[in-house]
Amino acid sequence: MNSTQSQLDNATIAMFQDKTTSQAMSVVYVLIFLINVPGNGVSLWLLWFRTFPKTPSIIFMINLTLTDLAVGLALPLQISYQLRGYNWPYGSGLCSFMTLLFYSNMYCSILTMMAISVDRYLGIVRPVQFRDLKRRKECAVFGCLFMWAVVLAALYPLASTDLTYEVRGLNITTCFDVLKKDMLPTIHHWAIFLFTLFGVLFLAPFVITVMCYVSIIHKLVRTSRSYQKGRALRLALAVLAVFVICFTPNNVLLLAHSVRRLYYGDSLYTAYKLSLCLSCANSCVDPFIYYFASKEFRRKLRRVLRLEDVSSMEGARTELRRDSLFSARSNQGPPENDEGGASVTLRDEPVQQPAF
């Protein structure tokens, strides 16, 4: 596709001219920014500097919080872009960086959520094998680095091309809202790219996460006390609900939009664009799940806000050794100071729309 407005479909042009939708999305992004930055900032401080020992689950949570916070700090650029009516004045380099950041956040959040569910599954459902695993912390760190490597490799086409597009008839320059077909050489390469994003980075982690939590709930129903069952069930449902609400619409619409655009000359531009708000909203949800799911996290946050008496600090230290963040042990689980895993949501959310 070359830079001529005539090759943009009517739905795309109508979206660029719809100031109401653009301003409404800007308001949503402002709200996400106001919740994301302080919420994830406090969470990162508590997880990094106030939570010991650093279990694999805590390492995964730190990775998740870092990616959420990075998206929050980049949101002002997206807000400015929306308020300018899809006009990007910051150059192609910053456009590529922001696009890569938002999509990396979403897929790293999905993979991190999967890793946390697997860690929790091993600690609760397979406690014997879990205890036999060596160097779990090193594996968690390597796992985080491996996730980023896989995601960045999959998104390399976005990082290696100019994602800005001049719409001369509207006198605007878009950022990622119009992808050029020659970004990849053939339709076959586009199919591989889309399958990787949807199948490898979204669908497979989602299936693994669901299977892990189903097994966890089944195990706890048979072996644990009622309050443990209730907490595990609420956590699992919360994680899966956020996964379904925040990530599924965006990824399904991305695939449907791309297929219709590449093969039928049609698009689902508006629906996909709106789904980005849901995807991005995930980046500010995690701190609330930390708070409501973990007694230890609540205690530490209250201490920071000076809502808890200093005399309870020693008891908190004992509790920390006894129960890792988000842990839910079965009667046959690992020792109480083992990393029993954790369940949280993941993230991110991207803020762009390919219109090819």
Side-chain angles (χ1 to χ4, degrees):
M1 180 184 295
N2 55 34
S3 298
T4 58
Q5 180 184 346
S6 61
Q7 293 188 311
L8 295 180
D9 61 80
N10 293 332
T12 302
I13 296 174
M15 186 70 181
F16 290 149
Q17 295 175 324
D18 188 352
K19 295 183 178 180
T20 301
T21 301
S22 179
Q23 292 171 354
M25 292 179 67
S26 299
V27 171
V28 173
Y29 287 135
V30 169
L31 293 175
I32 293 173
F33 172 79
L34 294 176
I35 299 172
N36 177 312
V37 174
N40 284 294
V42 171
S43 297
L44 181 61
W45 183 72
L46 289 176
L47 291 170
W48 197 309
F49 297 105
R50 297 292 180 177
T51 302
F52 300 96
K54 292 293 188 291
T55 67
S57 294
I58 298 300
I59 293 172
F60 289 135
M61 289 181 203
I62 290 173
N63 180 65
L64 187 62
T65 305
L66 282 171
T67 60
D68 288 341
L69 186 59
V71 166
L73 294 174
L75 273 178
L77 291 176
Q78 177 65 19
I79 294 168
S80 172
Y81 173 63
Q82 293 288 147
L83 291 176
R84 289 173 177 267
Y86 303 96
N87 187 35
W88 182 263
Y90 307 113
S92 62
L94 194 55
C95 172
S96 296
F97 174 77
M98 191 183 72
T99 301
L100 194 64
L101 174 64
F102 275 93
Y103 271 85
S104 296
N105 167 261
M106 178 173 68
Y107 292 116
C108 280
S109 295
I110 291 172
L111 293 177
T112 302
M113 191 173 89
M114 179 193 70
I116 291 172
S117 69
V118 171
D119 181 64
R120 186 172 174 81
Y121 168 84
L122 291 174
I124 295 176
V125 181
R126 304 288 184 182
V128 176
Q129 295 90 327
F130 185 81
R131 283 196 296 269
D132 291 339
L133 292 177
K134 306 298 183 182
R135 306 176 68 86
R136 293 194 290 268
K137 295 179 183 179
E138 291 82 352
C139 290
V141 174
F142 175 79
C144 292
L145 296 176
F146 181 75
M147 291 176 206
W148 278 99
V150 170
V151 170
L152 292 176
L155 297 177
Y156 176 75
L158 298 179
S160 60
T161 189
D162 182 3
L163 299 179
T164 60
Y165 183 88
E166 183 181 0
V167 186
R168 294 175 181 174
L170 300 179
N171 195 29
I172 62 174
T173 299
T174 65
C175 173
F176 188 68
D177 280 308
V178 180
L179 285 184
K180 305 174 183 68
K181 279 189 176 180
D182 59 8
M183 186 182 83
L184 293 171
T186 66
I187 296 295
H188 178 69
H189 289 86
W190 273 106
I192 295 175
F193 177 66
L194 295 171
F195 172 78
T196 301
L197 296 185
F198 181 81
V200 177
L201 298 183
F202 167 70
L203 186 59
F206 176 65
V207 171
I208 292 173
T209 301
V210 170
M211 292 175 62
C212 286
Y213 280 119
V214 169
S215 298
I216 289 169
I217 293 172
H218 182 259
K219 172 76 172 184
L220 293 177
V221 165
R222 291 188 294 109
T223 62
S224 296
R225 295 183 292 273
S226 59
Y227 81 91
Q228 288 179 319
K229 298 174 188 177
R231 185 176 68 167
L233 181 60
R234 288 192 296 272
L235 281 175
L237 292 178
V239 170
L240 296 178
V242 173
F243 201 116
V244 170
I245 294 171
C246 294
F247 294 134
T248 300
N250 177 260
N251 282 275
V252 171
L253 285 170
L254 171 63
L255 181 64
H257 165 79
S258 302
V259 170
R260 292 182 63 170
R261 190 73 179 116
L262 288 170
Y263 293 98
Y264 303 103
D266 195 4
S267 73
L268 296 171
Y269 184 96
T270 303
Y272 179 84
K273 190 73 176 178
L274 293 175
S275 74
L276 296 172
C277 293
L278 290 175
S279 182
C280 189
N282 177 74
S283 66
C284 63
V285 172
D286 291 338
F288 294 96
I289 294 184
Y290 299 162
Y291 181 84
F292 289 110
S294 170
K295 180 188 298 184
E296 182 62 29
F297 191 88
R298 289 196 298 271
R299 180 182 292 115
K300 290 182 178 296
L301 182 60
R302 289 168 181 165
R303 190 183 306 160
V304 170
L305 299 176
R306 300 184 183 280
L307 297 178
E308 180 173 311
D309 193 276
V310 178
S311 62
S312 63
M313 294 178 65
E314 185 60 34
R317 294 192 187 96
T318 303
E319 176 68 17
L320 179 58
R321 296 189 186 95
R322 195 171 53 82
D323 189 7
S324 62
L325 191 65
F326 283 102
S327 67
R329 299 178 300 274
S330 69
N331 292 339
Q332 300 167 347
E336 292 185 340
N337 62 345
D338 269 353
E339 299 96 85
S343 60
V344 298
T345 55
L346 25 17
R347 11 160 116 286
D348 260 206
E349 48 37 86
V351 290
Q352 310 296 347
Q353 156 66 26
F356 302 132

XYZ file of all heavy atoms in Angstrom, residues 62-102:
321
model
N 6.674 -9.276 39.764
C 7.497 -8.090 39.533
C 7.611 -7.828 38.031
O 7.497 -6.677 37.571
C 8.883 -8.269 40.177
C 8.760 -8.238 41.705
C 9.848 -7.180 39.703
C 10.047 -8.571 42.430
N 7.824 -8.876 37.264
C 7.895 -8.729 35.807
C 6.584 -8.171 35.260
O 6.581 -7.271 34.399
C 8.208 -10.078 35.169
C 8.299 -10.011 33.659
O 9.177 -9.363 33.103
N 7.382 -10.682 32.979
N 5.472 -8.690 35.763
C 4.160 -8.237 35.326
C 3.932 -6.777 35.686
O 3.441 -5.976 34.879
C 3.079 -9.116 35.967
C 1.639 -8.905 35.511
C 1.491 -9.213 34.038
C 0.700 -9.784 36.331
N 4.312 -6.395 36.898
C 4.121 -5.018 37.341
C 4.996 -4.054 36.549
O 4.573 -2.936 36.226
C 4.431 -4.901 38.843
O 3.636 -5.858 39.560
C 4.092 -3.514 39.363
N 6.214 -4.462 36.235
C 7.099 -3.611 35.431
C 6.503 -3.345 34.051
O 6.535 -2.205 33.555
C 8.465 -4.271 35.291
C 9.403 -4.167 36.497
C 10.626 -5.057 36.292
C 9.839 -2.718 36.711
N 5.957 -4.373 33.416
C 5.379 -4.178 32.090
C 4.132 -3.297 32.170
O 3.908 -2.447 31.308
C 5.022 -5.523 31.454
O 4.076 -6.230 32.267
C 6.256 -6.391 31.295
N 3.316 -3.493 33.215
C 2.131 -2.642 33.392
C 2.522 -1.188 33.593
O 1.922 -0.274 33.015
C 1.314 -3.124 34.596
C 0.600 -4.437 34.330
O 0.440 -4.790 33.147
O 0.201 -5.102 35.291
N 3.524 -0.964 34.423
C 3.954 0.402 34.713
C 4.546 1.065 33.471
O 4.339 2.272 33.241
C 4.975 0.390 35.841
C 5.428 1.754 36.379
C 4.246 2.550 36.907
C 6.481 1.572 37.476
N 5.278 0.311 32.668
C 5.852 0.870 31.437
C 4.758 1.364 30.498
O 4.869 2.433 29.884
C 6.717 -0.181 30.742
N 3.678 0.599 30.383
C 2.557 1.025 29.549
C 1.916 2.289 30.117
O 1.580 3.223 29.386
C 1.515 -0.097 29.427
C 0.205 0.428 28.868
C 2.047 -1.196 28.530
N 1.750 2.329 31.435
C 1.161 3.507 32.057
C 1.968 4.769 31.790
O 1.410 5.831 31.494
N 3.283 4.658 31.852
C 4.139 5.814 31.632
C 4.132 6.257 30.168
O 4.420 7.428 29.871
C 5.568 5.495 32.074
C 5.745 5.264 33.582
C 7.170 4.820 33.897
C 5.392 6.531 34.373
N 3.819 5.333 29.247
C 3.769 5.681 27.826
C 2.394 6.177 27.386
O 2.252 6.693 26.271
C 4.169 4.468 26.975
N 1.389 6.049 28.230
C 0.031 6.434 27.846
C -0.123 7.906 27.461
O -0.949 8.222 26.598
C -0.953 6.088 28.966
C -1.533 4.677 28.942
C -2.443 4.450 30.130
C -2.295 4.432 27.636
N 0.591 8.861 28.081
C 0.431 10.254 27.645
C 0.653 10.459 26.147
O -0.017 11.306 25.532
C 1.480 10.999 28.484
C 1.564 10.207 29.744
C 1.415 8.775 29.300
N 1.564 9.705 25.542
C 1.762 9.820 24.101
C 0.524 9.358 23.337
O 0.113 9.983 22.349
C 2.976 8.996 23.675
C 4.343 9.495 24.138
C 5.429 8.502 23.723
C 4.638 10.875 23.573
N -0.082 8.271 23.799
C -1.289 7.774 23.147
C -2.451 8.735 23.349
O -3.262 8.960 22.434
C -1.640 6.388 23.709
C -2.925 5.791 23.158
C -2.844 5.507 21.662
O -1.750 5.430 21.110
N -3.980 5.345 21.029
N -2.545 9.325 24.529
C -3.608 10.297 24.797
C -3.460 11.505 23.883
O -4.442 12.001 23.300
C -3.575 10.714 26.283
C -3.921 9.508 27.178
C -4.536 11.866 26.543
C -3.641 9.752 28.645
N -2.239 11.996 23.749
C -1.981 13.129 22.859
C -2.348 12.782 21.420
O -2.953 13.594 20.704
C -0.505 13.532 22.952
O -0.172 14.489 21.975
N -2.003 11.579 20.994
C -2.314 11.130 19.633
C -3.818 11.106 19.394
O -4.310 11.559 18.346
C -1.700 9.747 19.439
C -2.054 9.053 18.152
C -1.685 9.587 16.920
C -2.734 7.829 18.166
C -1.991 8.936 15.738
C -3.043 7.171 16.991
C -2.669 7.726 15.779
O -2.972 7.067 14.611
N -4.562 10.605 20.365
C -6.020 10.556 20.217
C -6.628 11.954 20.197
O -7.508 12.261 19.383
C -6.626 9.746 21.359
C -6.286 8.273 21.368
C -6.977 7.491 20.263
O -6.458 6.539 19.745
N -8.166 7.929 19.895
N -6.176 12.818 21.090
C -6.724 14.176 21.165
C -6.399 14.996 19.915
O -7.136 15.931 19.570
C -6.198 14.886 22.413
C -6.717 14.355 23.752
C -6.051 15.081 24.918
C -8.244 14.503 23.837
N -5.313 14.676 19.248
C -4.945 15.361 18.012
C -5.707 14.821 16.806
O -5.443 15.237 15.672
C -3.440 15.224 17.761
C -2.569 16.027 18.713
C -1.097 15.679 18.491
N -0.218 16.474 19.335
C 0.331 17.620 18.959
N 0.093 18.110 17.755
N 1.127 18.290 19.778
N -6.620 13.899 17.040
C -7.379 13.333 15.926
C -6.564 12.361 15.100
O -6.566 12.425 13.865
N -5.862 11.458 15.778
C -5.035 10.438 15.129
C -3.887 11.066 14.332
O -3.507 10.558 13.274
C -5.881 9.542 14.211
C -7.015 8.855 14.913
C -8.309 9.400 14.884
C -6.824 7.680 15.622
C -9.357 8.787 15.544
C -7.867 7.059 16.279
C -9.127 7.622 16.244
O -10.167 7.025 16.895
N -3.349 12.130 14.846
C -2.201 12.776 14.204
C -0.972 12.599 15.090
O -0.956 13.037 16.246
C -2.481 14.263 13.976
C -1.384 14.927 13.164
O -0.803 14.322 12.264
N -1.073 16.166 13.479
N 0.056 11.947 14.543
C 1.263 11.613 15.301
C 2.401 12.557 14.897
O 2.947 12.436 13.800
C 1.658 10.167 15.038
C 2.856 9.713 15.803
C 4.146 9.660 15.345
C 2.899 9.244 17.155
N 4.982 9.188 16.329
C 4.240 8.921 17.460
C 1.926 9.069 18.135
C 4.637 8.434 18.691
C 2.313 8.580 19.370
C 3.644 8.266 19.651
N 2.816 13.471 15.792
C 3.850 14.440 15.428
C 5.244 14.083 15.927
O 6.163 14.897 15.809
C 3.355 15.716 16.121
C 2.729 15.207 17.388
C 2.162 13.834 17.077
N 5.418 12.882 16.493
C 6.651 12.578 17.219
C 7.659 11.757 16.430
O 8.677 11.338 16.983
C 6.305 11.849 18.523
C 5.298 12.584 19.364
C 4.023 12.053 19.573
C 5.599 13.812 19.942
C 3.089 12.731 20.341
C 4.670 14.496 20.706
C 3.410 13.946 20.907
O 2.483 14.610 21.655
N 7.398 11.488 15.159
C 8.363 10.779 14.346
C 8.145 9.274 14.314
O 7.507 8.693 15.210
N 8.703 8.623 13.302
C 8.483 7.187 13.103
C 9.182 6.338 14.162
O 8.684 5.275 14.546
C 8.969 6.780 11.713
O 10.361 7.022 11.575
N 10.359 6.816 14.643
C 11.087 6.028 15.640
C 10.310 5.875 16.929
O 10.191 4.764 17.472
N 9.759 6.966 17.432
C 8.987 6.899 18.674
C 7.680 6.152 18.469
O 7.184 5.467 19.372
C 8.716 8.312 19.198
C 8.221 8.433 20.646
C 9.171 7.733 21.604
C 8.051 9.901 21.031
N 7.118 6.245 17.260
C 5.900 5.479 16.952
C 6.185 3.980 17.037
O 5.417 3.230 17.652
C 5.389 5.846 15.562
S 4.033 4.809 14.975
N 7.286 3.551 16.432
C 7.635 2.122 16.480
C 7.913 1.671 17.904
O 7.498 0.575 18.315
C 8.862 1.863 15.601
O 8.579 2.145 14.251
N 8.589 2.516 18.673
C 8.901 2.167 20.061
C 7.629 2.003 20.883
O 7.483 1.039 21.642
C 9.799 3.234 20.683
C 10.054 3.026 22.153
C 10.962 2.073 22.589
C 9.363 3.775 23.107
C 11.184 1.865 23.949
C 9.582 3.583 24.459
C 10.493 2.621 24.880
N 6.697 2.956 20.768
C 5.471 2.882 21.552
C 4.630 1.673 21.145
O 4.064 0.977 21.988
C 4.651 4.160 21.409
C 3.500 4.235 22.406
S 2.442 5.688 22.209
C 1.583 5.248 20.697
N 4.541 1.427 19.839
C 3.778 0.266 19.371
C 4.369 -1.030 19.917
O 3.653 -1.908 20.406
C 3.768 0.224 17.831
O 3.192 1.427 17.331
C 2.978 -0.972 17.334
N 5.687 -1.146 19.830
C 6.360 -2.339 20.338
C 6.153 -2.480 21.842
O 5.925 -3.587 22.359
C 7.848 -2.266 20.016
C 8.653 -3.559 20.182
C 8.166 -4.616 19.211
C 10.138 -3.284 19.973
N 6.190 -1.368 22.563
C 5.998 -1.396 24.007
C 4.612 -1.905 24.373
O 4.455 -2.776 25.228
C 6.214 0.001 24.586
C 5.905 0.169 26.077
C 6.838 -0.688 26.932
C 6.013 1.641 26.488
N 3.589 -1.388 23.707
C 2.227 -1.775 24.061
C 1.936 -3.226 23.715
O 1.317 -3.945 24.500
C 1.226 -0.842 23.373
C 0.978 0.419 24.133
C 1.711 1.557 23.865
C 0.026 0.462 25.123
C 1.496 2.727 24.569
C -0.201 1.628 25.844
C 0.541 2.763 25.566
